[in-house]
Each structure stands twice: as structure tokens, then as C-alpha cells.
Amino acid sequence: MDLKGAWDGWYDAPSPFGRTTFTLTILEVSENGDFHGEGEDSSGAFTIKGKLDGNKVEFVKGYKDPKGHQGIEYKGELSENSTEEDVKISGKYFYLYKTFVIKLNVSEAFQMQRVKS
């Protein structure tokens, strides 16, 4: 499955933030399934680096702004009825949210779908 191209998606964030939408372009996919891309959501521009292994998809997201969150891990699977034209990935993301006094493990749902050309 070639993941290269434009994607739209969403991820759930803890209250009070709720569901956030994002756009993503996977720029390159190697023969061994490694891929990278860039995107944007309401927090800003970000990059991703990941791996496709069978139907499992994993990637790490980091915001381009050095003050933005880094190391956000996404783990998902291609939907069972995915085709080259109609691809959907669903799963969870994981992140340790840290401020001066708070450390909170965040694990919420995400979904993304290839934008049909």
C-alpha cells in the first residue's frame, strides 16, 4: 500500500480541547515502508516520520516550532476494506504532557483518510 499523498484527519484531545482536525501530506515512502511528511493543525505546522508494516502504521509527530510538542507517537491500522483509492487509518496516539507542575499521560483516538484526487 502506497501512503504517499494528501490526507485529512482528526485526533481527540483531553477536555477542554476536544476533537482537532489536521491535514497531512506524506511526501515519500521507501520500499521498506519508512515514510515522512508534513502537516498542519490548530497548534501549528508539524513533521512526521513513520513506518508501514503490513496493515500497521506507526509515526512520530513533532511541531516545527521548537516550543511546540515533540515526540507524539501515533499507532494505528489500515481499515480492513482499504484500497489504493480509499485508505483509512485508525488508532491511538500517545504523549506525555508536561508543564511546570503537571505530568499527564495522554492516549486518545485518531483517524485519517486519504484525500481522493
Side-chain angles (χ1 to χ4, degrees):
M1 178 78 55
D2 185 6
L3 301 179
K4 190 174 178 181
W7 295 76
D8 287 329
W10 56 262
Y11 59 88
D12 287 333
S15 184
F17 303 105
R19 185 160 287 180
T20 300
T21 60
F22 65 88
T23 59
L24 170 66
T25 301
I26 296 178
L27 301 169
E28 187 175 350
V29 182
S30 71
E31 289 182 16
N32 68 354
D34 292 339
F35 63 88
H36 71 274
E38 55 190 25
E40 190 168 356
D41 61 24
S42 60
S43 295
F46 59 83
T47 60
I48 64 163
K49 288 186 180 181
K51 175 96 173 162
L52 171 64
D53 185 10
N55 71 335
K56 296 190 183 315
V57 178
E58 296 185 7
F59 61 91
V60 177
K61 177 172 89 174
Y63 287 92
K64 291 182 178 181
D65 181 343
K67 296 177 184 173
H69 301 297
Q70 305 297 321
I72 305 165
E73 298 179 26
Y74 285 72
K75 296 181 180 186
E77 293 187 359
L78 297 169
S79 62
E80 289 184 22
N81 57 352
S82 285
T83 65
E84 288 290 334
E85 291 296 314
D86 187 20
V87 184
K88 188 181 291 183
I89 300 170
S90 300
K92 288 195 170 267
Y93 73 92
F94 307 88
Y95 179 68
L96 178 59
Y97 176 78
K98 294 186 276 187
T99 65
F100 292 114
V101 294
I102 298 172
K103 284 189 179 178
L104 176 66
N105 282 310
V106 176
S107 175
E108 297 285 346
F110 83 95
Q111 186 176 86
M112 52 193 267
Q113 185 163 354
R114 185 191 313 262
V115 175
K116 294 179 182 177
S117 49

